[in-house]
Amino acid sequence: MTYPSAVKELKRLLNTYLEPTQVASVLHAFEVGEEAHRGQTRKSGEDYIMHPVAVASILAGMRMDDQTITAAILHDTVEDTDVTLADLEREFGEQVAKLVDGVTKLDKMKFRTRQEADAESFRKLLLAMSRDLRVIFIKLADRLHNMRTIEAMSPPSRRRISSETLEIYAPIADRLGMNALKNELEDLGFQHLHPNRYRIISRRLRSMTKHRKEILDAVTDTLKKRLNEAGVAARVEGREKSMYSIYSKMRDKSVPFEQVNDLYAFRIVTQAESHCYQALGVVHAVYKPRPGSFKDYIALPKANGYQSLHTVLTSPYNVPLEIQIRTEEMDMVAEKGAAAHWLYKATPPDGSTAVRAREWLLKLVETQSRAKESLEFIDTAKSELFPDEIYVFTPRGKIIDLKARATALDFAYAIHTDVGNRARRARIDNKPSPLSTVLENGQTVHIETDETVEPRPEWLEHVVTPKARTAIRSHLKNLEQADSVAIGHRLLDQALARRNSSLDNISSRKLDRYVRKAGLERLEDLLMRIARGELLAATVAQKLLPITQKRSGEVATGDVFTVGGSERNAISYGNCCHPIPGDRITGYLSPGRGIVVHRHNCPNVPALERQHPERSLDVAWEPLPRGSFSALLKVVTVNGPGVLASVSASIGQADANIERVEQRESTSDTAELHFLIGLRDRNQLARVLTRLRRNPKVFRVQREMG
């Protein structure tokens, strides 16, 4: 067979690193694919087979194995031709068939909306990736060639595909450490999503090209000379920042083109890790470093395996210089990421980008198993794809990477879901701290657990990582359903008690008939709706036992509803007044929220009782309340250093947990601190108040409503 020039070029590239038999197998795949796609053309008018050949060539440039190249050539055959997976398995083996299947499945499903289709396709893509990373290598190369030839598409299609590329595929490439591919995807996506902005930045860059080249050459020569004098063998490259990275900085930092710091970037590539630190000393001796700009990603690699030293220098040209210093191996990983290690003849080494990528994917798979909807999962996955990360330590020195702004509670869930669910408080650098404390790089965090603790809805306000958020929601949902059934049962029993009956006395036939008439499937659904205030127990009791009034002189039993026990996950405690055990309380059945408990003197109670008396509920505390309840304190203190630590220590001495603290007002002499603390009851509150009033830095303290 006479091969087109593109196939001959692919063959030449493959011959540089594959065995002759493997190259022959790839060429056979081309013959099968060419016959299958014969007569099909792309929108550009080009024979369709040239698209999979181009995809294969991109992967060959990454030196991917023969199975990946073969699957790339055949990746559209099952979807667009009469070729079946069985045909491919028979002709090329099980691995190639699985790779083609992994890519094909994404486009085979029918959905109600494009948004839902994209979400579910992405979900399946990640699952396929978790089994074999080569699936995403093929998909990324496929997307890259589609972006290179996107001009043939209509403007709306170009915008949609470009947006998807920037939102999904470029971040995946980044997460996998495939920097060169990511940069090209970003620039092409930017060019076709925002063509006017792209033209403006492109024009500005061209206008300063000559001046830029002079600076790049001068700095490169200076660095080479000084490194050589210091005996550090290294190559130095001046490079231009990608247009999308320039645009992103302008957008994210709201700065004009002239203020984008790192238009001038240089890469120093050495022979060994120790040479990287020597090179750092050399460049800092040549140009003055900017304070706070140094980052050591060699000692603490990024989650995608990226390693490099970063520093920003002040130059004599009145422009900042961004310098990256790394070894040849680190440079290869930075450009090709997981693909750099991907040789199926051997398992990728521990700590490699491929291993890190699979760990990340398995975390996502765990998250998606809890997510009920595809759209919920894609939101989670997208947030994972943009990791602005921090690194903290366990007491044993293990590094835990978390999203920026992550809290001690996020850390707890990163250790293990059970640790998160039972977290009581944290010790950060050996100091007691609230679980809501935002963590900083390099801190050591220890989590104290308590078997009586369970996640609460307000915890969702204190976490930023998808794993923590998903675990809390899942736990709350499971507990809430069980607790709602129990609460609905108690409320309905109370209403029936006023009619000298109980739920056990109602025949199952009558109950089933009523449940079906209400449009529900099970008795549990009815009880949950009662607990959530969507149906009133008195109304349901009236329907089940239509008695107009109870007998004269009858004393209803069970009229007071007790709270603070095992069913608290379906009960809310008003943030307007923060009731705790020992307070005099009242209840209100809020539609959709269920029972909300307020302090009796809460300013919102009179209006609720006046507007909806039928929803008012007599409530009392269980004899032995369980768990932690929140109280709000206002503490006026001396305004000076160490005050917050001193006040926090006083609260901790009473074994209370600080959930949140903020400073609202201050003068030169005083500071007003507001603490939300977790307590068991009013007795513990009294001990907290006593400790605070004994603190010489505290002028006065009082409990507040909310």
Side-chain angles (χ1 to χ4, degrees):
M1 180 177 183
T2 302
Y3 296 116
S5 58
V7 180
K8 291 178 181 177
E9 175 58 23
L10 173 62
K11 179 183 176 182
R12 185 198 65 76
L13 193 56
L14 295 175
N15 277 327
T16 63
Y17 72 97
L18 291 183
E19 298 295 329
T21 55
Q22 295 172 326
V23 177
S25 178
V26 172
L27 294 175
H28 178 50
F30 167 74
E31 292 166 0
V32 171
E34 191 277 332
E35 183 178 351
H37 287 294
R38 193 170 294 162
Q40 296 178 354
T41 58
R42 304 187 81 210
K43 290 203 179 279
S44 62
E46 179 184 52
D47 286 344
Y48 192 89
I49 187 60
M50 301 318 296
H51 164 65
V53 168
V55 173
S57 295
I58 292 170
L59 293 165
M62 301 178 191
R63 300 177 72 83
M64 295 301 297
D65 64 289
D66 61 304
Q67 291 177 341
T68 306
I69 306 295
T70 300
I73 290 178
L74 300 167
H75 79 269
D76 280 332
T77 53
V78 173
E79 184 178 352
D80 294 337
T81 77
D82 294 332
V83 174
T84 66
L85 284 173
D87 295 334
L88 296 182
E89 184 170 352
R90 186 168 52 252
E91 196 80 18
F92 300 99
E94 181 184 8
Q95 285 297 315
V96 169
K98 282 185 175 180
L99 289 172
V100 172
D101 186 40
V103 179
T104 301
K105 277 182 178 175
L106 308 178
D107 305 312
K108 279 287 194 181
M109 298 167 293
K110 305 297 180 187
F111 301 92
R112 291 168 294 185
T113 65
R114 173 173 289 280
Q115 185 183 24
E116 185 182 342
D118 291 344
E120 185 63 18
S121 292
F122 182 55
R123 180 175 180 146
K124 289 200 175 288
L125 171 64
L126 290 171
L127 289 173
M129 286 163 58
S130 70
R131 300 185 190 103
D132 193 330
L133 273 180
R134 294 178 295 179
V135 169
I136 193 57
F137 298 154
I138 297 170
K139 192 66 182 176
L140 287 171
D142 175 54
R143 176 52 59 110
L144 179 57
H145 185 250
N146 283 335
M147 290 303 298
R148 286 174 176 176
T149 56
I150 200 172
E151 290 286 359
M153 305 295 288
S154 66
S157 294
R158 287 204 299 269
R159 286 192 295 272
R160 176 181 60 79
I161 294 169
S162 297
S163 177
E164 184 181 69
T165 297
L166 292 174
E167 287 186 11
I168 300 293
Y169 291 98
I172 287 179
D174 185 36
R175 189 68 173 177
L176 296 178
M178 303 168 76
N179 196 52
L181 193 145
K182 177 209 74 161
N183 286 341
E184 188 173 356
L185 284 175
E186 285 181 338
D187 277 357
L188 288 168
F190 175 41
Q191 179 182 353
H192 294 288
L193 184 63
H194 300 298
N196 290 333
R197 298 175 200 181
Y198 181 88
R199 278 194 295 271
I200 291 169
I201 293 177
S202 178
R203 189 165 59 243
R204 294 292 299 276
L205 285 174
R206 282 197 303 272
S207 70
M208 54 192 296
T209 296
K210 184 178 179 182
H211 180 59
R212 283 170 58 80
K213 188 173 187 312
E214 290 172 356
I215 294 177
L216 287 170
D217 289 346
V219 173
T220 299
D221 291 343
T222 300
L223 293 177
K224 282 180 178 178
K225 180 182 177 184
R226 294 296 290 271
L227 287 166
N228 187 52
E229 290 172 354
V232 179
R235 58 184 172 90
V236 181
E237 300 172 352
R239 61 188 180 89
E240 296 188 357
K241 294 292 286 183
S242 73
M243 288 218 275
Y244 184 70
S245 68
I246 294 170
Y247 166 70
S248 296
K249 285 207 170 181
M250 292 171 62
R251 178 195 62 198
D252 297 342
K253 297 186 177 181
S254 300
V255 296
F257 179 85
E258 292 75 16
Q259 292 181 26
V260 178
N261 274 355
D262 50 4
L263 286 177
Y264 297 89
F266 298 83
R267 183 179 304 159
I268 298 173
V269 184
T270 71
Q271 302 302 310
E273 185 175 308
S274 60
H275 297 166
C276 293
Y277 293 96
Q278 286 180 258
L280 179 69
V282 171
V283 300
H284 280 182
V286 178
Y287 301 118
K288 186 177 180 181
R290 291 197 165 192
S293 67
F294 173 64
K295 293 184 176 68
D296 189 344
Y297 294 120
I298 292 179
L300 292 174
K302 289 188 177 182
N304 63 12
Y306 175 88
Q307 288 184 287
S308 191
L309 300 178
H310 286 200
T311 187
V312 178
L313 311 175
T314 301
S315 73
Y317 306 100
N318 200 31
V319 292
L321 310 175
E322 182 191 73
I323 310 288
Q324 298 174 351
I325 307 171
R326 54 203 190 216
T327 66
E328 291 285 359
E329 182 183 359
M330 292 172 190
D331 191 52
M332 179 179 68
V333 170
E335 292 304 303
K336 296 184 179 179
H341 293 295
W342 207 261
L343 296 174
Y344 261 69
K345 291 178 270 186
T347 303
D350 288 343
S352 74
T353 311
V355 171
R356 286 170 173 267
R358 183 174 282 115
E359 288 174 351
W360 165 65
L361 288 163
L362 290 175
K363 284 182 185 177
L364 274 184
V365 171
E366 179 189 353
T367 301
Q368 75 85 31
S369 68
R370 295 196 186 100
K372 304 301 182 188
E373 303 289 340
S374 295
L375 294 177
E376 176 189 344
F377 173 63
I378 200 169
D379 285 342
T380 295
K382 279 183 180 179
S383 67
E384 282 282 350
L385 287 171
F386 295 93
D388 188 4
E389 291 168 325
I390 61 167
Y391 299 89
V392 292
F393 297 88
T394 68
R396 294 183 178 180
K398 180 181 178 182
I399 298 174
I400 303 293
D401 59 294
L402 295 166
K403 290 179 63 175
R405 305 292 301 166
T407 64
L409 191 54
D410 285 299
F411 174 89
Y413 278 102
I415 297 299
H416 196 280
T417 300
D418 289 342
V419 174
N421 287 342
R422 298 290 179 236
R424 173 144 181 85
R425 73 184 72 184
R427 295 189 71 84
I428 301 174
D429 290 338
N430 214 27
K431 296 177 183 176
S433 304
L435 291 171
S436 58
T437 304
V438 175
L439 300 176
E440 298 177 3
N441 260 322
Q443 290 178 322
T444 298
V445 186
H446 172 67
I447 301 296
E448 297 177 10
T449 59
D450 184 336
E451 287 302 312
T452 66
V453 171
E454 287 185 323
R456 304 200 299 275
E458 55 267 30
W459 281 18
L460 290 170
E461 300 174 11
H462 304 322
V463 294
V464 299
T465 56
K467 180 178 180 181
R469 193 173 294 278
T470 302
I472 293 168
R473 282 177 175 156
S474 176
H475 194 91
L476 290 175
K477 190 167 187 177
N478 292 337
L479 286 177
E480 183 185 347
Q481 288 181 346
D483 289 351
S484 293
V485 170
I487 288 172
H489 196 296
R490 288 170 62 191
L491 288 170
L492 185 53
D493 258 346
Q494 284 186 348
L496 289 170
R498 300 185 191 110
R499 289 167 163 72
N500 286 334
S501 187
S502 71
L503 197 55
D504 292 339
N505 293 333
I506 308 295
S507 71
S508 58
R509 184 177 177 183
K510 178 180 277 192
L511 280 172
D512 289 344
R513 189 165 58 244
Y514 179 80
V515 167
R516 287 195 301 273
K517 191 174 181 180
L520 304 171
E521 294 183 5
R522 308 172 303 155
L523 174 62
E524 287 81 358
D525 297 330
L526 174 67
L527 298 177
M528 281 193 283
R529 292 196 67 183
I530 291 172
R532 292 169 184 163
E534 296 163 5
L535 288 172
L536 292 178
T539 304
V540 176
Q542 170 68 19
K543 296 287 186 181
L544 291 172
L545 288 176
I547 303 172
T548 54
Q549 62 181 44
K550 60 187 178 185
R551 291 196 297 269
S552 176
E554 177 184 307
V555 178
T557 59
D559 280 349
V560 176
F561 191 95
T562 56
V563 298
S566 61
E567 295 150 11
R568 64 169 298 171
N569 293 287
I571 294 175
S572 302
Y573 296 86
N575 289 329
C576 48
C577 55
H578 295 294
I580 62 174
D583 288 335
R584 190 179 170 198
I585 53 175
T586 187
Y588 178 74
L589 271 169
S590 176
R593 289 186 64 194
I595 297 175
V596 182
V597 178
H598 297 267
R599 285 159 70 179
H600 195 267
N601 59 344
C602 174
N604 292 328
V605 166
L608 294 174
E609 291 180 338
R610 184 173 62 253
Q611 293 168 9
H612 300 285
E614 75 283 1
R615 291 187 172 274
S616 296
L617 194 67
D618 288 334
V619 295
W621 295 105
E622 289 271 3
L624 295 172
R626 297 173 56 181
S628 178
F629 300 82
S630 298
L632 189 63
L633 302 181
K634 181 172 81 171
V635 185
V636 180
T637 69
V638 174
N639 191 357
V643 171
L644 179 59
S646 175
V647 174
S648 298
S650 295
I651 294 172
Q653 287 164 5
D655 200 31
N657 187 40
I658 299 172
E659 297 176 353
R660 189 178 71 235
V661 61
E662 58 181 282
Q663 181 172 333
R664 293 188 187 170
E665 296 180 14
S666 63
T667 66
S668 57
D669 299 321
T670 65
E672 183 180 301
L673 304 174
H674 292 255
F675 289 87
L676 188 68
I677 61 175
L679 301 160
R680 290 185 294 276
D681 51 32
R682 281 176 65 98
N683 291 332
Q684 189 180 18
L685 172 63
R687 291 197 296 275
V688 171
L689 296 176
T690 299
R691 292 279 186 181
L692 288 172
R693 286 167 181 150
R694 288 177 182 169
N695 189 318
K697 296 181 184 294
V698 174
F699 291 133
R700 62 181 182 274
V701 57
Q702 67 186 62
R703 184 182 177 191
E704 292 195 306
M705 279 288 177

